[in-house]
Amino acid sequence: MTTTTGRMKTGAVTDEFDHAASAYDRLVGANPGYHRDLRASVRRLRLPDQGEGMRLLDLGCGTGASTAALLDAAPKARIVGVDASQGMLDAARAKTWDGDVVFHRARAEELSPDRVHEWSGGPADAVFGAYLIRNVPDPETLLRSVFQVLRPGGRLALHEYSVADSPSARAVWTAVCWGIIIPSGKALTGRADLFRYLWRSVLEFDGRRELLARMRATGLESVADAPLPGWQYGITHTFVGSRPGGVW
């Protein structure tokens, strides 16, 4: 990890998301397959019965795109969206939600079982984290926090970029960032810091095997990954695992 990227993860990234919040939905809407891929990763949680009676956490919920994917799969669940950026949460709360959906401001890696119980009435049946683990200062701390707030048998799905294991994926990612994402982000938000960080942070993040090993080391079982289709094939993946000791 570069010094600049590491420093941003301790606070500046949140500030940049605050700044970009008003334009964020337009930015991700221009990405072919963005919402489709979130829904695909949520389906890999295999939530039964439209989520009836379930408590779901959407960590790093942003403006609510991942929350919408969870609600689409589990309209009868209690969904708690969590993000560190007030600007992103304000955008999420301003939307109309046809379900039991609430939002709270917190750093995902600092969650405790008591706080989750306060928000949703008990431990989480499933946790979804889209584009989250790459942005926290310490991935192990995040994974330990998730493990603690999951009920026995509860499931985790991480929807994340990972290109370290593939030179071709790294090349495509760099070309897309410098050809589309960075200039488009600057045009819509007035600055490019967040989007240059996005490019660097993905290049520096874990490869698939390394992230799967981190998940297993935390104590998660049935750990696996699968790619997403389209231009992001080999770039964006779903990583899943479950806390031992229970069933759905």
Side-chain angles (χ1 to χ4, degrees):
M1 179 186 300
T2 67
T3 302
T4 300
T5 304
R7 282 200 306 266
M8 287 193 71
K9 292 183 182 185
T10 63
V13 168
T14 301
D15 296 338
E16 290 296 326
F17 277 118
D18 283 341
H19 176 77
S22 62
Y24 201 76
D25 285 341
R26 282 179 288 162
L27 285 165
V28 301
N31 178 349
Y34 184 90
H35 296 285
R36 177 204 64 207
D37 290 348
L38 287 172
R39 291 192 297 269
S41 284
V42 166
R43 286 195 298 272
R44 290 166 178 170
L45 280 168
R46 304 191 308 278
L47 303 173
D49 303 322
Q50 296 186 304
E52 186 167 10
M54 302 188 82
R55 296 178 289 264
L56 309 179
L57 283 182
D58 181 18
L59 300 186
C61 64
T63 63
S66 50
T67 314
L70 280 169
L71 187 60
D72 183 67
K76 297 180 180 180
R78 167 78 165 179
I79 301 174
V80 179
V82 179
D83 204 281
S85 165
Q86 187 63 53
M88 300 292 267
L89 285 175
D90 289 344
R93 287 174 175 145
K95 297 174 180 177
T96 299
W97 297 97
D98 295 324
D100 187 0
V101 178
V102 296
F103 295 96
H104 293 279
R105 186 180 182 188
R107 294 193 65 86
E109 66 270 30
E110 297 174 359
L111 290 186
S112 67
D114 286 345
R115 181 176 283 191
V116 171
H117 190 283
E118 176 186 344
W119 290 341
S120 59
D125 294 289
V127 173
F128 188 58
Y131 307 116
L132 169 70
I133 190 169
R134 171 180 45 83
N135 289 319
V136 301
D138 185 350
E140 284 85 2
T141 297
L142 172 68
L143 289 169
R144 286 194 296 270
S145 294
V146 169
F147 188 92
Q148 291 300 316
V149 304
L150 278 171
R151 71 161 175 81
R155 296 174 182 168
L156 165 67
L158 299 172
H159 177 93
E160 189 55 88
Y161 299 115
S162 179
V163 300
D165 297 336
S166 171
S168 62
R170 291 172 65 88
V172 171
W173 174 248
T174 292
V176 169
C177 281
W178 285 99
I180 301 173
I181 294 174
I182 294 171
S184 298
K186 184 176 181 179
L188 284 172
T189 67
R191 60 193 196 213
D193 293 19
L194 177 63
F195 309 101
R196 286 195 297 263
Y197 161 82
L198 172 64
W199 166 64
R200 289 195 306 269
S201 68
V202 172
L203 292 181
E204 295 167 6
F205 185 58
D206 293 353
R208 294 171 39 258
R209 290 183 291 271
E210 186 174 359
L211 181 52
L212 293 169
R214 287 187 195 268
M215 294 171 70
R216 293 188 186 99
T218 304
L220 295 167
E221 63 181 15
S222 302
V223 172
D225 73 302
L228 278 302
W231 77 265
Q232 294 189 119
Y233 185 86
I235 295 173
T236 311
H237 311 261
T238 316
F239 299 87
V240 297
S242 61
R243 179 170 176 169
V247 296
W248 285 114

